[in-house]
Amino acid sequence: MPYLTGCLDSLLAQSIGPDRLRIVAVDDGSTDGGGAELDRYARAHPDTVTVVHQPNSGGPAAPSNRALEAATGRYVYFMGSDDRLGPEALARLVACADEYGSDIVVGKMTGVGGRYVHQALFTESGPSAPDVGLYDSALPFTLSNAKLFRRELVERHGLRFPEDMPVGSDQPFTIEACVRARRISVLADYTYYYALKRRDAGNITYRAGHLDRLRCTARIMDHTAGLIPPGPERDSVLHRHFTWELAKLLQSDFPALAAPVRDRVREGIGALADAYLTDPLRDLLPVRRRVRIELARRGAAEALVRAIEDEERNGPVFALTDDGRARLRCPGFRDPALGLPDRVFEVLGESILPALSSGTELLESAWEQHGDDLALTLAVRTPLTGDTSSAVIRLLPGSLPKSADGPGGRLLPADHEPPPAVGRFTREELPGGTVLRARIPIEARTASLAVRLHVHVAGGWYEIPVRGRGKPMPLARRWRLDDSYRVSARVNAKGRMVVRTGPLFPPRVPWPARVRRRLAALLPGRWFARLSARAKRK
């Protein structure tokens, strides 16, 4: 409560109609008035709403099984009591299943209130995909039971939810259903399911501790291994669990756990890696998650904690090598005691742009003037070490394209190289990356100049806008007053540093005679003569 009321209202409003819909609502020992609310709806809609009351079971598996025992329809669909459906959801899902003979239909889901829902399955399938495979799509990253299942499939294979799993109990059910299904369809033409994150983060997924999540993930992976023999197909499903469930156990909250809990989590992840982490699957993992899992696998408790803490302080730092490759530089890298191969730390088939962008920031900036010459001095941090000779700060004219001003900057086309650098540069390598110091002359012209880092990594040129939010900007300067120019630095709406140059006064046009007469009357002769000469030059 009060989310339950919105959930029930969304079901009763379904366009499929009450004569084709039965709601089986299980009150799993609710203590917030949810059971009474269910009874109220059952009294108002006796032909549609059926309520089952039972003592609290500790998770969603037992209520889901009780509901399956009561179900009589051709299809079943599972919902969390916090969530809601789009008005046409069930009608569209059933129509798809009937048209294509689908055993499972997945409708597009979206998160509400900060709830994360993986979207790759819905973006890669287009508006609809009548036949989607478990092993060659993003389906393993969408394993909740919020799907339409043909009940004949469920009963033929005796599919039920493991009731001793407080979290993730829908995954063994969904994975086995997908393995057994004759056809799986995906609909992304409409928002079918709205998954809500409660304001108190009370969803059971957010309450479970590290050891419960580890135990349940191990159950899921073992169940999957019992369904799918070793090989690329099993790897394609377990990819999700190494990338997601196990990697999430080794995030910023891991170092704060009690030492015995840390040891059990590390040992459990290591055992699962020994059992299921093949070399091809390891190469598929993002480098930061791959390294942490391998440190846990090798029993490197101290290096694992330091790797997480260092990244929290400085963000990820990448070492560039002479052959153009990028490797994560963190504890354990080239440590002879661990003997981890360099490939574990190498960036393989993933974009380095988000890490480059988040780690590229302005440290300081100022104007430097010698006579009529003006230059901008900058210090910019980049999360790169090693051979950073190609890393250069540039002021480029023109507005930033959207592709270059987004969260991750952009990878320049293969046939494009940035223009030559102008100015003087120095580099200083630090534990958290490299600080580039630049002195860049400013030309007297009307221009908007974007402050960007260009760097060559792993065979490609990257263009990264420099973040300036929260940093003091150098004061606007009048420059060459005789030529009436100004220059200023600011932070744009996206937090990126830009430099503006332009006339100190509006562009000059020939003064009308009446203006000249008025100025001559108001100004001393020498000031009028200087203004007139300047206007003629313009």
Side-chain angles (χ1 to χ4, degrees), residues 433-464:
T434 299
V435 176
L436 303 178
R437 299 186 183 275
R439 182 185 183 277
I440 304 175
I442 303 294
E443 297 180 11
R445 59 180 177 178
T446 302
S448 174
L449 304 170
V451 182
R452 309 185 215 183
L453 171 74
H454 283 92
V455 61
H456 192 262
V457 179
W461 279 99
Y462 291 84
E463 180 178 80
I464 312 296

Short mmCIF file of all heavy atoms in Angstrom, two decimals, residues 433-464:
data_model
loop_
_atom_site.label_atom_id
_atom_site.label_comp_id
_atom_site.label_asym_id
_atom_site.label_seq_id
_atom_site.Cartn_x
_atom_site.Cartn_y
_atom_site.Cartn_z
N GLY A 433 45.91 9.31 -12.95
CA GLY A 433 45.87 9.61 -14.38
C GLY A 433 47.00 10.54 -14.77
O GLY A 433 48.07 10.55 -14.15
N THR A 434 46.77 11.33 -15.79
CA THR A 434 47.77 12.28 -16.30
C THR A 434 47.17 13.68 -16.32
O THR A 434 46.02 13.86 -16.74
CB THR A 434 48.23 11.89 -17.71
OG1 THR A 434 48.83 10.59 -17.66
CG2 THR A 434 49.24 12.88 -18.26
N VAL A 435 47.94 14.66 -15.86
CA VAL A 435 47.53 16.07 -15.92
C VAL A 435 48.22 16.70 -17.12
O VAL A 435 49.45 16.71 -17.21
CB VAL A 435 47.86 16.83 -14.63
CG1 VAL A 435 47.50 18.30 -14.78
CG2 VAL A 435 47.12 16.22 -13.45
N LEU A 436 47.41 17.22 -18.04
CA LEU A 436 47.92 17.94 -19.20
C LEU A 436 47.83 19.43 -18.91
O LEU A 436 46.75 19.93 -18.55
CB LEU A 436 47.10 17.61 -20.44
CG LEU A 436 46.99 16.14 -20.84
CD1 LEU A 436 46.09 16.00 -22.05
CD2 LEU A 436 48.36 15.56 -21.11
N ARG A 437 48.94 20.12 -19.07
CA ARG A 437 48.95 21.57 -18.90
C ARG A 437 49.21 22.21 -20.26
O ARG A 437 50.11 21.79 -20.98
CB ARG A 437 50.00 22.01 -17.89
CG ARG A 437 49.76 21.43 -16.51
CD ARG A 437 50.72 21.96 -15.46
NE ARG A 437 50.48 21.31 -14.18
CZ ARG A 437 49.57 21.70 -13.30
NH1 ARG A 437 48.82 22.77 -13.56
NH2 ARG A 437 49.40 21.05 -12.17
N ALA A 438 48.38 23.19 -20.59
CA ALA A 438 48.46 23.79 -21.92
C ALA A 438 48.41 25.31 -21.82
O ALA A 438 47.75 25.87 -20.94
CB ALA A 438 47.30 23.30 -22.78
N ARG A 439 49.16 25.95 -22.74
CA ARG A 439 49.05 27.41 -22.93
C ARG A 439 48.65 27.62 -24.38
O ARG A 439 49.45 27.36 -25.29
CB ARG A 439 50.36 28.13 -22.62
CG ARG A 439 50.27 29.65 -22.75
CD ARG A 439 51.63 30.30 -22.56
NE ARG A 439 51.52 31.74 -22.61
CZ ARG A 439 51.50 32.47 -23.74
NH1 ARG A 439 51.59 31.85 -24.91
NH2 ARG A 439 51.40 33.79 -23.68
N ILE A 440 47.41 28.06 -24.61
CA ILE A 440 46.86 28.14 -25.96
C ILE A 440 46.59 29.61 -26.30
O ILE A 440 45.79 30.27 -25.63
CB ILE A 440 45.56 27.32 -26.07
CG1 ILE A 440 45.83 25.87 -25.63
CG2 ILE A 440 45.01 27.37 -27.48
CD1 ILE A 440 44.59 25.01 -25.59
N PRO A 441 47.25 30.16 -27.34
CA PRO A 441 46.99 31.56 -27.73
C PRO A 441 45.54 31.73 -28.19
O PRO A 441 44.95 30.84 -28.81
CB PRO A 441 47.96 31.79 -28.89
CG PRO A 441 48.96 30.69 -28.79
CD PRO A 441 48.28 29.53 -28.18
N ILE A 442 45.00 32.88 -27.90
CA ILE A 442 43.63 33.22 -28.32
C ILE A 442 43.71 34.25 -29.44
O ILE A 442 44.33 35.30 -29.27
CB ILE A 442 42.81 33.79 -27.15
CG1 ILE A 442 42.78 32.80 -25.98
CG2 ILE A 442 41.40 34.12 -27.61
CD1 ILE A 442 42.06 31.52 -26.29
N GLU A 443 43.09 33.94 -30.55
CA GLU A 443 43.08 34.88 -31.67
C GLU A 443 41.93 35.87 -31.52
O GLU A 443 40.88 35.53 -30.98
CB GLU A 443 42.92 34.13 -33.00
CG GLU A 443 44.07 33.20 -33.32
CD GLU A 443 43.86 32.50 -34.64
OE1 GLU A 443 42.94 32.90 -35.39
OE2 GLU A 443 44.60 31.54 -34.93
N ALA A 444 42.15 37.08 -32.04
CA ALA A 444 41.11 38.11 -32.02
C ALA A 444 40.14 37.85 -33.17
O ALA A 444 40.40 38.21 -34.31
CB ALA A 444 41.73 39.49 -32.14
N ARG A 445 39.05 37.18 -32.86
CA ARG A 445 38.05 36.91 -33.88
C ARG A 445 36.73 36.61 -33.16
O ARG A 445 36.70 36.36 -31.96
CB ARG A 445 38.44 35.70 -34.73
CG ARG A 445 38.62 34.44 -33.92
CD ARG A 445 39.01 33.27 -34.79
NE ARG A 445 39.25 32.07 -34.01
CZ ARG A 445 39.56 30.90 -34.53
NH1 ARG A 445 39.68 30.79 -35.83
NH2 ARG A 445 39.76 29.86 -33.76
N THR A 446 35.67 36.64 -33.92
CA THR A 446 34.38 36.29 -33.35
C THR A 446 34.21 34.78 -33.44
O THR A 446 34.15 34.22 -34.54
CB THR A 446 33.24 37.00 -34.10
OG1 THR A 446 33.46 38.40 -34.04
CG2 THR A 446 31.90 36.66 -33.49
N ALA A 447 34.17 34.09 -32.28
CA ALA A 447 34.09 32.63 -32.32
C ALA A 447 33.61 32.10 -30.99
O ALA A 447 33.77 32.73 -29.95
CB ALA A 447 35.46 32.03 -32.65
N SER A 448 33.01 30.93 -31.08
CA SER A 448 32.72 30.12 -29.90
C SER A 448 33.67 28.95 -29.94
O SER A 448 33.71 28.21 -30.92
CB SER A 448 31.26 29.63 -29.92
OG SER A 448 31.03 28.75 -28.85
N LEU A 449 34.48 28.80 -28.90
CA LEU A 449 35.53 27.80 -28.90
C LEU A 449 35.22 26.74 -27.84
O LEU A 449 34.98 27.06 -26.68
CB LEU A 449 36.89 28.44 -28.59
CG LEU A 449 37.29 29.59 -29.53
CD1 LEU A 449 38.51 30.30 -28.99
CD2 LEU A 449 37.55 29.04 -30.92
N ALA A 450 35.21 25.49 -28.25
CA ALA A 450 34.95 24.39 -27.34
C ALA A 450 36.26 23.85 -26.81
O ALA A 450 37.20 23.61 -27.58
CB ALA A 450 34.18 23.29 -28.06
N VAL A 451 36.35 23.64 -25.51
CA VAL A 451 37.55 23.07 -24.89
C VAL A 451 37.40 21.56 -24.91
O VAL A 451 36.50 21.01 -24.27
CB VAL A 451 37.72 23.57 -23.45
CG1 VAL A 451 39.00 23.01 -22.84
CG2 VAL A 451 37.76 25.09 -23.42
N ARG A 452 38.26 20.87 -25.67
CA ARG A 452 38.11 19.44 -25.84
C ARG A 452 39.47 18.74 -25.71
O ARG A 452 40.50 19.31 -26.05
CB ARG A 452 37.53 19.09 -27.21
CG ARG A 452 36.27 19.84 -27.56
CD ARG A 452 35.68 19.35 -28.85
NE ARG A 452 35.07 20.45 -29.59
CZ ARG A 452 34.43 20.30 -30.74
NH1 ARG A 452 34.31 19.11 -31.27
NH2 ARG A 452 33.91 21.34 -31.36
N LEU A 453 39.40 17.52 -25.22
CA LEU A 453 40.56 16.65 -25.19
C LEU A 453 40.47 15.70 -26.38
O LEU A 453 39.44 15.08 -26.61
CB LEU A 453 40.58 15.84 -23.89
CG LEU A 453 41.63 14.74 -23.81
CD1 LEU A 453 43.02 15.34 -23.60
CD2 LEU A 453 41.31 13.76 -22.69
N HIS A 454 41.55 15.62 -27.15
CA HIS A 454 41.66 14.62 -28.20
C HIS A 454 42.74 13.62 -27.80
O HIS A 454 43.83 14.01 -27.40
CB HIS A 454 42.02 15.27 -29.55
CG HIS A 454 40.88 15.96 -30.20
ND1 HIS A 454 40.60 17.30 -30.01
CD2 HIS A 454 39.91 15.50 -31.03
CE1 HIS A 454 39.53 17.63 -30.70
NE2 HIS A 454 39.09 16.57 -31.33
N VAL A 455 42.39 12.34 -27.89
CA VAL A 455 43.34 11.31 -27.47
C VAL A 455 43.21 10.11 -28.39
O VAL A 455 42.11 9.77 -28.85
CB VAL A 455 43.09 10.92 -25.99
CG1 VAL A 455 41.69 10.35 -25.80
CG2 VAL A 455 44.15 9.96 -25.49
N HIS A 456 44.33 9.49 -28.66
CA HIS A 456 44.36 8.31 -29.51
C HIS A 456 44.47 7.07 -28.62
O HIS A 456 45.45 6.89 -27.90
CB HIS A 456 45.56 8.38 -30.47
CG HIS A 456 45.50 7.36 -31.56
ND1 HIS A 456 46.19 6.18 -31.51
CD2 HIS A 456 44.82 7.35 -32.74
CE1 HIS A 456 45.96 5.48 -32.60
NE2 HIS A 456 45.13 6.15 -33.37
N VAL A 457 43.43 6.22 -28.65
CA VAL A 457 43.39 5.02 -27.81
C VAL A 457 42.96 3.84 -28.66
O VAL A 457 41.95 3.92 -29.38
CB VAL A 457 42.39 5.20 -26.63
CG1 VAL A 457 42.35 3.93 -25.78
CG2 VAL A 457 42.77 6.38 -25.77
N ALA A 458 43.68 2.76 -28.57
CA ALA A 458 43.30 1.49 -29.20
C ALA A 458 42.93 1.68 -30.67
O ALA A 458 41.94 1.16 -31.16
CB ALA A 458 42.15 0.84 -28.45
N GLY A 459 43.73 2.48 -31.38
CA GLY A 459 43.55 2.61 -32.82
C GLY A 459 42.56 3.66 -33.26
O GLY A 459 42.33 3.82 -34.46
N GLY A 460 41.93 4.38 -32.35
CA GLY A 460 40.95 5.39 -32.74
C GLY A 460 41.15 6.70 -32.01
O GLY A 460 41.70 6.74 -30.90
N TRP A 461 40.72 7.80 -32.66
CA TRP A 461 40.77 9.12 -32.05
C TRP A 461 39.45 9.40 -31.32
O TRP A 461 38.37 9.22 -31.88
CB TRP A 461 41.00 10.20 -33.10
CG TRP A 461 42.43 10.35 -33.50
CD1 TRP A 461 43.04 9.85 -34.61
CD2 TRP A 461 43.43 11.09 -32.79
NE1 TRP A 461 44.36 10.20 -34.64
CE2 TRP A 461 44.64 10.97 -33.53
CE3 TRP A 461 43.45 11.82 -31.60
CZ2 TRP A 461 45.82 11.57 -33.11
CZ3 TRP A 461 44.63 12.41 -31.19
CH2 TRP A 461 45.81 12.28 -31.95
N TYR A 462 39.55 9.84 -30.09
CA TYR A 462 38.38 10.18 -29.28
C TYR A 462 38.37 11.68 -29.02
O TYR A 462 39.43 12.30 -28.81
CB TYR A 462 38.39 9.44 -27.94
CG TYR A 462 38.17 7.95 -28.07
CD1 TYR A 462 39.22 7.09 -28.36
CD2 TYR A 462 36.90 7.41 -27.91
CE1 TYR A 462 39.03 5.72 -28.48
CE2 TYR A 462 36.69 6.04 -28.02
CZ TYR A 462 37.76 5.21 -28.31
OH TYR A 462 37.56 3.85 -28.42
N GLU A 463 37.19 12.25 -29.03
CA GLU A 463 37.02 13.67 -28.72
C GLU A 463 36.17 13.79 -27.46
O GLU A 463 35.02 13.35 -27.44
CB GLU A 463 36.33 14.37 -29.89
CG GLU A 463 36.12 15.86 -29.67
CD GLU A 463 35.47 16.51 -30.88
OE1 GLU A 463 34.23 16.39 -31.02
OE2 GLU A 463 36.19 17.12 -31.67
N ILE A 464 36.75 14.37 -26.41
CA ILE A 464 36.11 14.40 -25.11
C ILE A 464 35.94 15.85 -24.66
O ILE A 464 36.92 16.57 -24.48
CB ILE A 464 36.97 13.66 -24.06
CG1 ILE A 464 37.40 12.29 -24.58
CG2 ILE A 464 36.19 13.53 -22.76
CD1 ILE A 464 36.29 11.33 -24.84
#
